[in-house]
Structure formats: C-alpha cells, structure tokens
Amino acid sequence: MSLQIPPADRAVLDRREKIVAALRAIVPGEGVIAGEREMRPFESDGLTAYKQLPMVVVLPETTEQVSQVLAYCYAEGIKVVPRGAGTSLSGGALPLEDGVLLGMAKFNRILEIDFENRLAVVEPGVTNLAVSNAAAHAGFYYAPDPSSQIACTIGGNVAENSGGVHCLKYGMTTNNLLGCEMVLITGEVIRLGGKHLDAGGYDLLGIVTGSEGLLGVVTQVTVRLLKMPETARALLIGFPSSEDAGECVGKIIGAGIIPGGMEMMDKPAIHAVEQFVHAGYPLDVEALLIVELDGPQAEVDHLVARVEALARQCRVVSCKVSASEDERLLFWAGRKAAFPAVGRISPDYYCMDGTIPRAKLPQVLKRMRELSDKYGLRVANVFHAGDGNLHPLILYDANKPGELEKTEEFGAEILKLCVEVGGVLTGEHGVGVEKRDLMPAMFSEIDLNQQQRLKCAFDDKGLLNPGKVFPQLHRCAELGRMHISGGKLPFPDIPRF
Amino acid sequence: MTDTLKPRDGKDVEDAVRFALANDKPLELVGCGSKRAIGRPSQTDLTLDLSGLSGITLYEPEELVLSARAGTPLSEIEALVEKHGQELAFEPMDYGPLLGGKAGAGSIGGALAANLSGPRRIKAGAARDHFLGASVVTGRGETVKTGGRVVKNVTGYDLCKLLAGSWGTLAAMTDITLKTLPRAETESTLIVSGLEDAQAAAAMAAAMGSPCDVSGAGHLPDHVAARFDGLPGPGAATCLRVEGFAPSVAHRKQSLAAVLKPFGPVAVLDEKNSRALWRSVRDAKAFTFSDVLARPLWRVSTAPSRGHEIAAMISPAAQMFYDWAGGLVWIAMPSPQEPDAAAIRRAVASVGGHATLIRAPAAVRAAVDVFPPQDAGLAALSKRVKESFDPKGLFNPGRMWAGV
C-alpha cells in the first residue's frame, strides 16, 4: 500500500513493555491485550485492504478507565485510535503501530429508555439495531439505519455521522442526537447536551458528530426515539434509462413528497442481486427505483397512488406496488443484499461513497461507464436517489497483481468527479484513511488548516487518531501562528458610515 | 462614535477583517441588526455590517437546495421558496417584535447565527439541521469554505453546526447554503382546553408518543392564552398540530382526537386559524405587547416532561408558556430590572437543560450571564474553539460569555 501513515515513534515503541504495564494498572485483567495473535482481530476494520497491528489493545469498561487511559497517553505522548465495532468502510479505526487501540466494545449497556421524553441513554458500544430493539415493545425506534446496523455501534455512528436508507426523511445521526458524555485526550470528561434540545453554547455535539474519532472518545450517548410509522408500502419501478429514473425522482420530490426511502440500482447491480435473492426484479431495465412511503395508512395509500401516477407520466418499463408486507420486504431484500450479491460475482469489490447533486446522475453514470472501460474494471451502482448519495461498487480481484491499485485509482477518479459536479467526497462512510489524500480536491489548504485548528482546540498534541481525515499534519503551534500585515484601511472604496 | 464598514462582497469582508486585525479593533458583526439586543453588550467601536451581501444565488427546488449571500433578508428567501411550494422547515422564529423592533427584518445569516427554530423543532430540527454549507471569513482574515450543497455529506468537520448558534462570535458568514423542503399541503390543530401545566405535559407526551406525526405541541396557560392568535375561546389551551397531505391530516386528526379525549374537551382549528396560532406561538407573541415588553424574558430548553416543574419553581408573578411538547419554556419575569437569574438557573439546573436571557435592559445583560454559564472544562473548551476561529477575539467580543 502506498498510504502514508505518520511514522512510528521509536521512543514510544521502545517503552512498549512499560506502557503495557501502566495500562494494565488502569484496566485490569483481560482488558489489555498485548499478544500478537490476540491483537490480530483488531488489525483492520471494514476497509480490509489496510492492515496494521496496534502497539497494544485496551478495552476499558468505565468512563473513569477511559479517562485514566487517555490522561496517561496524553502525559506520555502516546497516540490513541478509538474503535467501535470496526465496521468503518473508510479505515477510520485502522490501528497505528505505535498507538493504543482503544476498543469501546465493553460499553454495551442501555442505561435508560425514557418514553415520556422519547429518548434513550446508551453506552457507545451498544449496536445501532439494539437501540431500536430495546424500544420496539413500546412502538418506538431509533431512526438512522446504516446497512451495518446489526453490527455497528452507536459510538461509531456518532464518530461517522452515519446515515442509512431512511435518512432522506428522518435525518442522519447528527439530527437524532440529544447529548453525549465524552473524554478529551487530556482525560477530562465533558458532557454535551442532555435530554433537551439544542446547545446552550457552541454546538460542540454537532462538531463531535462525524469527527471520526479525532476530537474525543464518546462514553455515553443520548439518542432521540421516534414512534414507528403505522405502516409502510413500497413501489418497484423499472426504467429504460437512468435519466428516466432520475427524472421520476425529481418529479416525486417536486410534487412535495419526501419518501421514507428512495433507492436506485443500475443494471449490473440489478442483475447481481436478482441472481442472488430472486426478489423478482425486472431484468430488462437499465435502472430500478424502490420508493417507500411510510406513515399513517391513509397517508401511505394516498401517496402510493400519487407516486404511481407520477411514475406513469415518466418512461417506465414496469411499476409494481407492494400488495403485502412480505412483498415490501422482498422488494427491499434485493437492495439490502446488493453488496453481498456483488461479492458473489466478483472475488473482491470496493465500495465507494460520494454524493452528487441528483440532477447530475446521468452525467456521472455515463462518465463512470467510460472510466470502467478505461480501467477494464466492472462497476455496479446502488444509489440513495433521494439525497444523491452514490455507492459505486468496483469489481476487482485482489489476487491479480496491481488490480487493487488500479481499483483505488478508479475510485479516486469517481470521487473527484463527484466533487467536480458539485458534490462531495463522502456522504456517509467518512474520510478515514481512504479518502484522506483526496481532501484537497474539495478543500483548499486554508480550509483544511482551519479544520485542523479546531482539532487543536480539542487535542493540542494531535494524539487522537492521527493520520485520518487530514492529508497533511501540522503542529498546532504552527497552525496558530499569525502574520498580520497592513495597518491602513486597504479598501477605501468600502462604504463607511 | 461607532464606525460602520459595509462590505459588498467576500473580498471586502476579508479586507475589513484584516484591517481590524492590524489595528486591534474588535468588530460588531451584524446582518440586518434585528437581534442586536440579544447577548451581553459588546464593547466595539467598529461595526461590520453584512447586509450588503445580499441576494439568492441558487435555488433548485427539485434538489431541495438554496444558496444565498449571508445578508439576504430571510423574508426574501421565505417568499421565494413559498412560491415553489416549499419552506424552511425549521420554521425560524422572528425575534423582531419581541425585542421591540419590526417583524420580518432579519437576514438569513442572522437566522443561522442564532440557530433559529420554531414549533416544528421537535420534528424537523433547528437551523443547524438545514445548514448545508458556508463560506466564512475567520478572525484571521481568511475565507474558509465548509460543507457543500448536498444533504448527505460527512467530508471533514461539520463546521456549519458550530456556526449555527455562534451569534457571530466565530466568523463572518458571506455565503450560505440551505436545505429547503416541501411545504405541507394543509394543517390543522387540536386544542384541549382548561388543562393545568402538568396535565398538559402528559397530554403532549401522549400525543408525541402516538403515530400521529405531531409537528407542533404547545401549552398556553390561562394567564397568557388570550394573547395568542387563532384560538377558539378563552382559557388554557394545549395545542397539537398535524401537517401534511389532506387525507393524512384528516385521518390523523381523528386518531389524535382519540388520544387526547381522556385529557379534556377537544376542539379543532381549521388551516387558517392553525397557521395564525402557530405563528404567534413561534414568535412568543404574548410577550410582544407593550404592557409586558419591559419584562425580562427567558428562553429555557429542558426535557419535555420537566418544563412545568421549572415553571412551578419560580415567582408566581412570572408569565410563561410552553412549546416543544413542554421542552421549551418562555418565561417573562415580573420586574423589568430583575431577571432573577439565580432562581432561573437553579430551577433549570435541578431538572437539566439551559436558559438564555433573551430580553433585558443592556445594563442587566452586562451584569448577569445571558447565555448559560458552563462548567470549567466546557468553558475552557469553548474558549479554545473560539480562538481556533478568531484568535484575537475580534468578533462580537463577550457577546456570549465574558472573555470569549
């Protein structure tokens, strides 16, 4: 791999034994893992192309332990990489050779469910789905539903600002949080928010959400719960071209309808999926749209009829409305199995994650087909059509020499294309190590330096998850320097009063 | 004597900030100035008036996105999106009349800097949740871009969240991008009459816990109810709004009426009265009348089930009402010179949440904490965050907290 990671600090590695002993004094028993074989499961996350054994793994159980571990690392100048379930697709939890891997898996308790105020207080190691399950008996759920929801943790969701197929209507993680407790690298414990809405001061919760483990370690999270919709129905609509599908999406939103979910697949994805799950997807279409309407029965029936009518105004090959809950789930079964289905037809696949203004979809797909020819690599597309979040899956074979590198190059071109048409590098998977070096395609050096100054406000020694998100690391002192010039009013033509 | 600089574009803003930097001149940042009286009074002799940065630069209704220069009047944006059947779903409140000024006088930059919201906060979020991207000039005189024009975006830190609610203390916004959403086809409100505050909290919790998708839940106690619009009669009113497509609203109205029935008699407001009511709730209209305009006004955010407990802990001569299903409490204190900050803060601390002194004479705002005081760790972090944007403390110094 060509990835540049901050060089390992030999002085830290030389003290490894002493460090391990000190950590064992804080987290007793099996909470500190230092054996090579035992650390192996932690060497990588969902971005499996990158692997690195950490210096040591620590699995604390209490906020106090997290605080002491971080305070120790801060005092000793040791890097720390926080980790939830390790499902990151961008390498956000990739360990460092000279770093402590701080696994939060033991923070797995649901502390409180408060139906009166429609919220849950949970520890960060609780899985996303477990929160919904714990509230289900009273008819409530936690809205963000990343596709890894059976495995991914709330702490990881906060770090990545996770989305999911329903975030078009219900928002991403950041729109569904009320508060958190977190530990700064100094060991200081701070509480943000609570059971109430909005911050009383700066919205630090908003900045911590999606910060990819670079600002602090979350030890408790308060999430909002929503009442489950009464019912849901879905439409499965086939189109002769992606342009037609895109036009239909525009018509639906233009009619004032925000569906619970609106997912698109291109032909290669449809075919891979249909062979795998036999969901009854039409094979004679270029694009397939699943539109799900949820809410009260009367609303869903009304909107299903309206969406169907809108679809009929577009060029469609087929349009099917789910007649039962089983059929609705079958429509989704295909979409939800898209990644493994693609995994079946190719030894490896690389999942990308860019967002584009929706209207640019045909242009982006066309260019992607050209790139596919150029690189000689197949690509299948699944697309959160409502919000323009694109997941191209590049099919490759890691055993063929040079193919992974070629794939990464292809992926980088796709993401740059997303930025070029007015979109962004990542919609929900995070920058991590994966897209780190592409950041300059979207941000100037001034932009990135400002983001790093904010990082310095939380972590002045740059010890939390270094090597992620930012392509170039600067010392905080260097970033803080100012060059003030010019004492005169340099703009005499600005109106003054 | 205060000098005012009125830049015409982002480049002018950079120049202005660099000038202020070189001359050690703190700046008061204003858009249209409609919320100028909120916060601790700042000591500046130079004002940076951003209202010259005006105009909508992009609006694509089907993409649910709008960009504008930061000084664009909010009313101009709301009028345009309304023409296309859309709205700013965070329902930004208008502080104007509450502060003794005109209605509809704010800018979009100001709406974002104050993280405005309204009754729909409980469903659709606040300005922060709809703020997609921005160009700003930092206290270093540098233009920084953050976010983008798409909703799903996790590329880099979400600086828009920090800018929202920073009251112009971090950076001068020059351009912003927002999410727009379809406006509901119709709406209706159910009113339960005559409830005590605690009963009202229970009724609102029952409504919020139903699948009726309630988009506004407020309680107007007897002593203020008559000062809101659209209500069918006198007495305390607990108000629950449903919005959406006509068949859905009709259906949910029925289901919701069944949920509310055990609490008391239920009346129904039609679309017109419902709109009038929620606009008056949004803008805290009860506290805009001349006989109460001098009363210090608190805005308290707490857990919805606890709002009425706070109210019970303070002076019975205070006037108050509830929004956000009971989680937002507006409290007008009886004595113009005495906001009774200690009592309010004590009450809020006992149940959790925060209180901001929205309205009080300048001398009072200089003497008590306007924004919620923070514990030492959080205060130090907030100060470092401020310095990361504005190292010399140029922008609205001391507006939120002394020394920040």
Side-chain angles (χ1 to χ4, degrees):
Chain A
M1 295 280 78
S2 56
L3 184 77
Q4 296 294 315
I5 283 291
D9 186 338
R10 301 281 14 136
V12 167
L13 287 175
D14 290 345
R15 284 184 283 140
R16 182 169 184 269
E17 267 180 49
K18 207 181 124 215
I19 292 167
V20 170
L23 292 168
R24 282 196 204 285
I26 300 170
V27 183
E30 293 176 348
V32 173
I33 301 171
E36 189 189 320
R37 201 162 52 97
E38 291 74 23
M39 291 200 298
R40 205 46 86 183
F42 298 93
E43 70 179 355
S44 151
D45 58 18
L47 186 69
T48 50
Y50 298 96
K51 289 182 173 53
Q52 171 64 54
L53 272 183
M55 176 169 68
V56 56
V57 176
V58 181
L59 305 173
E61 286 182 65
T62 65
T63 301
E64 182 55 31
Q65 287 176 353
V66 173
S67 168
Q68 286 181 26
V69 167
L70 292 181
Y72 170 76
C73 290
Y74 183 70
E76 296 286 321
I78 301 163
K79 297 165 189 149
V80 178
V81 176
R83 177 184 167 110
T87 58
S88 169
L89 291 170
S90 56
L94 181 69
L96 291 167
E97 185 191 351
D98 58 341
V100 170
L101 187 81
L102 191 67
M104 297 300 288
K106 290 187 174 176
F107 279 75
N108 57 3
R109 291 174 307 157
I110 293 175
L111 301 174
E112 183 187 356
I113 296 198
D114 177 347
F115 290 118
E116 206 182 3
N117 290 304
R118 300 165 296 286
L119 57 87
V121 183
V122 304
E123 292 185 335
V126 172
T127 64
N128 173 293
L129 193 60
V131 178
S132 287
N133 287 345
H137 66 279
F140 285 87
Y141 75 114
Y142 174 59
D145 57 344
S147 40
S148 55
Q149 71 176 156
I150 56 165
C152 66
T153 63
I154 291 293
N157 290 178
V158 173
E160 301 293 327
N161 188 16
S162 304
V165 296
H166 289 96
C167 66
L168 173 64
K169 183 170 175 184
Y170 297 103
M172 308 195 22
T173 303
T174 189
N175 311 111
N176 288 278
L177 294 184
L178 287 172
C180 77
E181 174 191 82
M182 75 172 208
V183 187
L184 301 180
I185 185 70
T186 53
E188 262 180 291
V189 180
I190 61 167
R191 300 198 67 98
L192 303 174
K195 290 187 171 187
H196 53 274
L197 291 166
D198 293 340
Y202 293 137
D203 188 356
L204 300 178
L205 182 61
I207 207 77
V208 165
T209 310
S211 65
E212 305 198 20
L214 271 71
L215 300 184
V217 176
V218 169
T219 47
Q220 200 186 94
V221 187
T222 303
V223 302
R224 300 181 76 177
L225 298 176
L226 294 184
K227 191 73 181 178
M228 284 177 197
E230 248 173 56
T231 189
R233 284 170 76 193
L235 294 96
L236 190 67
I237 313 169
F239 297 89
S241 73
S242 60
E243 284 87 344
D244 291 307
E247 195 195 320
C248 187
V249 170
K251 271 194 164 72
I252 293 170
I253 290 177
I257 301 168
I258 302 291
M262 185 143 59
E263 295 292 305
M264 198 191 290
M265 280 177 275
D266 70 357
K267 192 168 190 171
I270 299 165
H271 282 246
V273 156
E274 186 54 24
Q275 283 169 33
F276 183 37
V277 290
H278 310 292
Y281 286 177
L283 296 174
D284 56 343
V285 299
E286 286 296 323
L288 189 64
L289 195 63
I290 303 174
V291 184
E292 177 161 289
L293 288 316
D294 63 0
Q297 187 75 49
E299 174 170 324
V300 171
D301 290 347
H302 173 72
L303 291 183
V304 163
R306 284 192 62 174
V307 170
E308 194 175 2
L310 288 167
R312 301 276 176 210
Q313 289 169 25
C314 304
R315 293 205 312 151
V316 295
V317 177
S318 62
C319 178
K320 207 152 86 175
V321 180
S322 67
S324 64
E325 183 61 8
D326 283 347
E327 193 173 16
R328 182 184 74 88
L329 294 174
L330 189 63
F331 288 180
W332 277 111
R335 167 60 185 86
K336 291 199 166 167
F339 291 9
V342 167
R344 264 176 92 243
I345 60 167
S346 171
D348 298 282
Y349 69 88
Y350 186 37
C351 174
M352 310 299 300
D353 164 51
T355 305
I356 56 172
R358 203 168 16 75
K360 304 287 185 187
L361 180 67
Q363 181 190 339
V364 168
L365 288 181
K366 179 167 171 283
R367 180 78 187 119
M368 225 186 290
R369 282 191 291 271
E370 290 163 12
L371 289 170
S372 170
D373 290 342
K374 173 180 154 190
Y375 286 97
L377 292 167
R378 291 178 295 163
V379 58
N381 271 290
V382 296
F383 184 52
H384 301 305
D387 44 34
N389 187 197
L390 195 61
H391 292 310
L393 305 170
I394 304 173
L395 281 53
Y396 73 102
D397 183 349
N399 288 326
K400 286 191 190 158
E403 197 150 297
L404 173 60
E405 287 72 14
K406 210 163 68 169
T407 301
E408 289 187 316
E409 213 176 299
F410 183 4
E413 281 211 55
I414 292 175
L415 295 182
K416 282 185 200 155
L417 173 64
C418 290
V419 175
E420 215 175 279
V421 301
V424 299
L425 292 173
T426 172
E428 57 185 356
H429 294 175
V431 176
V433 292
E434 186 204 19
K435 299 169 212 81
R436 187 192 69 185
D437 296 337
L438 293 172
M439 287 290 269
M442 197 170 143
F443 295 112
S444 72
E445 198 184 338
I446 290 176
D447 300 336
L448 290 172
N449 284 351
Q450 183 53 44
Q451 296 201 25
Q452 290 198 55
R453 282 189 198 102
L454 180 63
K455 155 94 169 156
C456 291
F458 286 80
D459 175 17
D460 65 332
K461 295 186 186 171
L463 293 173
L464 264 176
N465 220 2
K468 315 290 162 63
V469 182
F470 298 110
Q472 264 192 310
L473 294 179
H474 300 287
R475 290 181 173 282
C476 290
E478 177 196 336
L479 287 164
R481 244 172 250 145
M482 272 177 85
H483 310 280
I484 300 171
S485 59
K488 296 194 304 284
L489 196 63
F491 44 93
D493 50 339
I494 294 185
R496 304 177 76 198
F497 304 99
Chain B
M1 146 99 207
T2 300
D3 257 346
T4 296
L5 300 173
K6 191 168 180 181
R8 298 150 305 187
D9 56 24
K11 178 73 180 58
D12 278 357
V13 178
E14 272 190 16
D15 287 346
V17 173
R18 286 181 183 160
F19 167 76
L21 208 49
N23 291 281
D24 249 334
K25 277 185 178 301
L27 294 167
E28 183 194 14
L29 261 49
V30 296
C32 297
S34 70
K35 293 176 280 296
R36 224 168 173 170
I38 299 179
R40 301 175 72 251
S42 287
Q43 303 293 325
T44 61
D45 53 11
L46 197 55
T47 295
L48 187 60
D49 174 352
L50 297 163
S51 65
L53 307 178
S54 187
I56 295 163
T57 51
L58 174 146
Y59 178 39
E60 294 178 6
E62 287 192 1
E63 299 271 344
L64 307 173
V65 63
L66 180 145
S67 301
R69 307 223 184 277
T72 309
L74 180 59
S75 55
E76 183 182 329
I77 291 173
E78 290 190 309
L80 176 67
V81 300
E82 189 178 340
K83 245 190 258 167
H84 291 80
Q86 296 194 335
E87 66 185 357
L88 303 182
F90 54 98
E91 209 175 4
M93 74 167 295
D94 187 350
Y95 273 115
L98 212 48
L99 300 170
K102 281 189 310 196
S107 68
I108 185 64
L112 293 169
N115 189 31
L116 293 187
S117 63
R120 208 181 289 114
R121 174 71 182 90
I122 50 176
K123 176 172 184 250
R128 75 186 283 280
D129 298 290
H130 302 257
F131 188 5
L132 301 180
S135 267
V136 305
V137 176
T138 67
R140 308 172 71 89
E142 293 175 335
T143 297
V144 168
K145 188 180 85 95
T146 181
R149 52 158 292 183
V150 293
V151 176
K152 272 193 105 177
N153 178 11
V154 293
T155 322
Y157 298 136
D158 192 354
L159 301 186
C160 292
K161 294 284 183 297
L162 262 187
L163 294 167
S166 66
W167 295 90
T169 60
L170 296 179
M173 290 184 232
T174 58
D175 292 274
I176 59 91
T177 298
L178 287 174
K179 177 164 81 164
T180 62
L181 280 170
R183 194 177 160 82
E185 192 175 279
T186 186
E187 68 175 72
S188 181
T189 293
L190 302 192
I191 308 280
V192 190
S193 312
L195 301 187
E196 293 299 324
D197 294 4
Q199 294 172 302
M204 290 189 283
M208 294 307 297
S210 78
C212 297
D213 200 12
V214 170
S215 70
H219 174 64
L220 315 174
D222 189 32
H223 68 277
V224 291
R227 297 204 147 184
F228 291 90
D229 299 331
L231 290 173
T238 308
C239 317
L240 287 314
R241 174 173 69 179
V242 284
E243 296 176 292
F245 295 96
S248 173
V249 168
H251 167 85
R252 282 182 287 148
K253 230 159 48 176
Q254 280 190 344
S255 319
L256 190 56
V259 173
L260 294 173
K261 211 167 171 199
F263 294 93
V266 178
V268 181
L269 295 193
D270 63 9
E271 180 182 295
K272 186 165 157 275
N273 283 317
S274 175
R275 282 199 205 287
L277 168 68
W278 289 103
R279 176 168 284 260
S280 66
V281 171
R282 185 194 77 177
D283 297 341
K285 188 173 179 185
F287 303 136
T288 63
F289 291 87
S290 57
D291 61 328
V292 289
L293 207 51
R295 284 177 169 237
L297 185 63
W298 289 93
R299 185 175 183 269
V300 178
S301 177
T302 184
S305 68
R306 310 297 299 269
H308 67 95
E309 295 176 38
I310 292 177
M313 280 183 260
I314 55 173
S315 162
Q319 296 185 0
M320 66 198 66
F321 75 94
Y322 307 83
D323 195 355
W324 300 357
L328 178 68
V329 195
W330 287 96
I331 306 172
M333 301 306 284
S335 160
Q337 298 301 324
E338 182 43 85
D340 214 353
I344 295 277
R345 303 254 184 245
R346 215 169 28 244
V348 172
S350 71
V351 299
H354 54 82
T356 304
L357 180 59
I358 290 297
R359 182 176 74 193
V364 172
R365 285 182 282 120
V368 303
D369 285 319
V370 169
F371 286 87
Q374 300 180 314
D375 62 44
L378 201 51
L381 180 58
S382 296
K383 192 161 195 291
R384 295 197 298 272
V385 167
K386 157 83 173 175
E387 284 164 0
S388 74
F389 281 85
D390 179 18
K392 297 284 178 196
L394 287 184
F395 298 148
N396 290 346
R399 187 180 193 186
M400 294 181 77
W401 303 285
V404 173

PDB file of all heavy atoms in Angstrom, chain B residues 271-282:
ATOM      1  N   GLU B 271     -57.319  25.251   8.982  1.00  0.00           N
ATOM      2  CA  GLU B 271     -55.979  25.600   8.500  1.00  0.00           C
ATOM      3  C   GLU B 271     -55.612  27.053   8.811  1.00  0.00           C
ATOM      4  O   GLU B 271     -54.527  27.337   9.316  1.00  0.00           O
ATOM      5  CB  GLU B 271     -55.917  25.343   6.996  1.00  0.00           C
ATOM      6  CG  GLU B 271     -54.565  25.664   6.391  1.00  0.00           C
ATOM      7  CD  GLU B 271     -54.545  25.449   4.890  1.00  0.00           C
ATOM      8  OE1 GLU B 271     -54.689  24.296   4.450  1.00  0.00           O
ATOM      9  OE2 GLU B 271     -54.385  26.443   4.150  1.00  0.00           O
ATOM     10  N   LYS B 272     -56.549  27.947   8.544  1.00  0.00           N
ATOM     11  CA  LYS B 272     -56.242  29.368   8.699  1.00  0.00           C
ATOM     12  C   LYS B 272     -55.931  29.712  10.155  1.00  0.00           C
ATOM     13  O   LYS B 272     -54.925  30.361  10.462  1.00  0.00           O
ATOM     14  CB  LYS B 272     -57.438  30.183   8.191  1.00  0.00           C
ATOM     15  CG  LYS B 272     -57.210  31.662   8.156  1.00  0.00           C
ATOM     16  CD  LYS B 272     -58.294  32.353   7.302  1.00  0.00           C
ATOM     17  CE  LYS B 272     -58.424  33.804   7.691  1.00  0.00           C
ATOM     18  NZ  LYS B 272     -59.326  34.038   8.835  1.00  0.00           N
ATOM     19  N   ASN B 273     -56.797  29.270  11.054  1.00  0.00           N
ATOM     20  CA  ASN B 273     -56.566  29.566  12.465  1.00  0.00           C
ATOM     21  C   ASN B 273     -55.341  28.833  13.006  1.00  0.00           C
ATOM     22  O   ASN B 273     -54.624  29.348  13.862  1.00  0.00           O
ATOM     23  CB  ASN B 273     -57.810  29.203  13.285  1.00  0.00           C
ATOM     24  CG  ASN B 273     -58.890  30.257  13.131  1.00  0.00           C
ATOM     25  OD1 ASN B 273     -58.599  31.447  13.163  1.00  0.00           O
ATOM     26  ND2 ASN B 273     -60.115  29.823  12.922  1.00  0.00           N
ATOM     27  N   SER B 274     -55.125  27.635  12.494  1.00  0.00           N
ATOM     28  CA  SER B 274     -53.961  26.866  12.921  1.00  0.00           C
ATOM     29  C   SER B 274     -52.671  27.610  12.555  1.00  0.00           C
ATOM     30  O   SER B 274     -51.766  27.775  13.366  1.00  0.00           O
ATOM     31  CB  SER B 274     -53.999  25.479  12.259  1.00  0.00           C
ATOM     32  OG  SER B 274     -52.829  24.762  12.569  1.00  0.00           O
ATOM     33  N   ARG B 275     -52.617  28.084  11.321  1.00  0.00           N
ATOM     34  CA  ARG B 275     -51.424  28.845  10.889  1.00  0.00           C
ATOM     35  C   ARG B 275     -51.222  30.084  11.765  1.00  0.00           C
ATOM     36  O   ARG B 275     -50.110  30.399  12.174  1.00  0.00           O
ATOM     37  CB  ARG B 275     -51.563  29.278   9.426  1.00  0.00           C
ATOM     38  CG  ARG B 275     -51.287  28.170   8.434  1.00  0.00           C
ATOM     39  CD  ARG B 275     -50.985  28.744   7.030  1.00  0.00           C
ATOM     40  NE  ARG B 275     -51.284  27.785   5.976  1.00  0.00           N
ATOM     41  CZ  ARG B 275     -50.558  26.703   5.703  1.00  0.00           C
ATOM     42  NH1 ARG B 275     -49.473  26.434   6.408  1.00  0.00           N
ATOM     43  NH2 ARG B 275     -50.903  25.882   4.731  1.00  0.00           N
ATOM     44  N   ALA B 276     -52.313  30.785  12.026  1.00  0.00           N
ATOM     45  CA  ALA B 276     -52.212  32.010  12.827  1.00  0.00           C
ATOM     46  C   ALA B 276     -51.734  31.669  14.246  1.00  0.00           C
ATOM     47  O   ALA B 276     -50.865  32.343  14.811  1.00  0.00           O
ATOM     48  CB  ALA B 276     -53.573  32.701  12.876  1.00  0.00           C
ATOM     49  N   LEU B 277     -52.296  30.615  14.801  1.00  0.00           N
ATOM     50  CA  LEU B 277     -51.905  30.223  16.155  1.00  0.00           C
ATOM     51  C   LEU B 277     -50.409  29.922  16.234  1.00  0.00           C
ATOM     52  O   LEU B 277     -49.698  30.460  17.091  1.00  0.00           O
ATOM     53  CB  LEU B 277     -52.695  28.978  16.593  1.00  0.00           C
ATOM     54  CG  LEU B 277     -52.172  28.318  17.869  1.00  0.00           C
ATOM     55  CD1 LEU B 277     -52.414  29.210  19.081  1.00  0.00           C
ATOM     56  CD2 LEU B 277     -52.797  26.944  18.086  1.00  0.00           C
ATOM     57  N   TRP B 278     -49.929  29.073  15.328  1.00  0.00           N
ATOM     58  CA  TRP B 278     -48.535  28.627  15.452  1.00  0.00           C
ATOM     59  C   TRP B 278     -47.546  29.733  15.125  1.00  0.00           C
ATOM     60  O   TRP B 278     -46.437  29.747  15.640  1.00  0.00           O
ATOM     61  CB  TRP B 278     -48.311  27.372  14.619  1.00  0.00           C
ATOM     62  CG  TRP B 278     -49.004  26.223  15.271  1.00  0.00           C
ATOM     63  CD1 TRP B 278     -50.178  25.649  14.891  1.00  0.00           C
ATOM     64  CD2 TRP B 278     -48.617  25.576  16.499  1.00  0.00           C
ATOM     65  NE1 TRP B 278     -50.532  24.672  15.787  1.00  0.00           N
ATOM     66  CE2 TRP B 278     -49.598  24.598  16.782  1.00  0.00           C
ATOM     67  CE3 TRP B 278     -47.539  25.720  17.372  1.00  0.00           C
ATOM     68  CZ2 TRP B 278     -49.528  23.772  17.904  1.00  0.00           C
ATOM     69  CZ3 TRP B 278     -47.460  24.901  18.485  1.00  0.00           C
ATOM     70  CH2 TRP B 278     -48.454  23.938  18.745  1.00  0.00           C
ATOM     71  N   ARG B 279     -47.955  30.659  14.274  1.00  0.00           N
ATOM     72  CA  ARG B 279     -47.082  31.810  14.030  1.00  0.00           C
ATOM     73  C   ARG B 279     -46.947  32.615  15.323  1.00  0.00           C
ATOM     74  O   ARG B 279     -45.858  33.068  15.680  1.00  0.00           O
ATOM     75  CB  ARG B 279     -47.646  32.668  12.895  1.00  0.00           C
ATOM     76  CG  ARG B 279     -46.849  33.933  12.636  1.00  0.00           C
ATOM     77  CD  ARG B 279     -47.271  34.588  11.339  1.00  0.00           C
ATOM     78  NE  ARG B 279     -46.735  33.874  10.197  1.00  0.00           N
ATOM     79  CZ  ARG B 279     -45.648  34.278   9.534  1.00  0.00           C
ATOM     80  NH1 ARG B 279     -45.019  35.366   9.884  1.00  0.00           N
ATOM     81  NH2 ARG B 279     -45.199  33.592   8.505  1.00  0.00           N
ATOM     82  N   SER B 280     -48.052  32.772  16.039  1.00  0.00           N
ATOM     83  CA  SER B 280     -47.990  33.558  17.279  1.00  0.00           C
ATOM     84  C   SER B 280     -47.232  32.808  18.379  1.00  0.00           C
ATOM     85  O   SER B 280     -46.531  33.419  19.188  1.00  0.00           O
ATOM     86  CB  SER B 280     -49.397  33.972  17.737  1.00  0.00           C
ATOM     87  OG  SER B 280     -50.173  32.844  18.111  1.00  0.00           O
ATOM     88  N   VAL B 281     -47.342  31.473  18.377  1.00  0.00           N
ATOM     89  CA  VAL B 281     -46.553  30.679  19.333  1.00  0.00           C
ATOM     90  C   VAL B 281     -45.070  30.791  18.980  1.00  0.00           C
ATOM     91  O   VAL B 281     -44.212  31.016  19.829  1.00  0.00           O
ATOM     92  CB  VAL B 281     -47.005  29.196  19.333  1.00  0.00           C
ATOM     93  CG1 VAL B 281     -46.045  28.333  20.146  1.00  0.00           C
ATOM     94  CG2 VAL B 281     -48.431  29.075  19.865  1.00  0.00           C
ATOM     95  N   ARG B 282     -44.786  30.628  17.682  1.00  0.00           N
ATOM     96  CA  ARG B 282     -43.411  30.699  17.197  1.00  0.00           C
ATOM     97  C   ARG B 282     -42.727  31.978  17.669  1.00  0.00           C
ATOM     98  O   ARG B 282     -41.591  31.959  18.135  1.00  0.00           O
ATOM     99  CB  ARG B 282     -43.431  30.656  15.656  1.00  0.00           C
ATOM    100  CG  ARG B 282     -42.087  30.607  14.994  1.00  0.00           C
ATOM    101  CD  ARG B 282     -42.185  30.903  13.513  1.00  0.00           C
ATOM    102  NE  ARG B 282     -42.361  32.342  13.258  1.00  0.00           N
ATOM    103  CZ  ARG B 282     -42.422  32.879  12.059  1.00  0.00           C
ATOM    104  NH1 ARG B 282     -42.380  32.114  10.974  1.00  0.00           N
ATOM    105  NH2 ARG B 282     -42.566  34.185  11.910  1.00  0.00           N
TER     106      ARG B 282
END
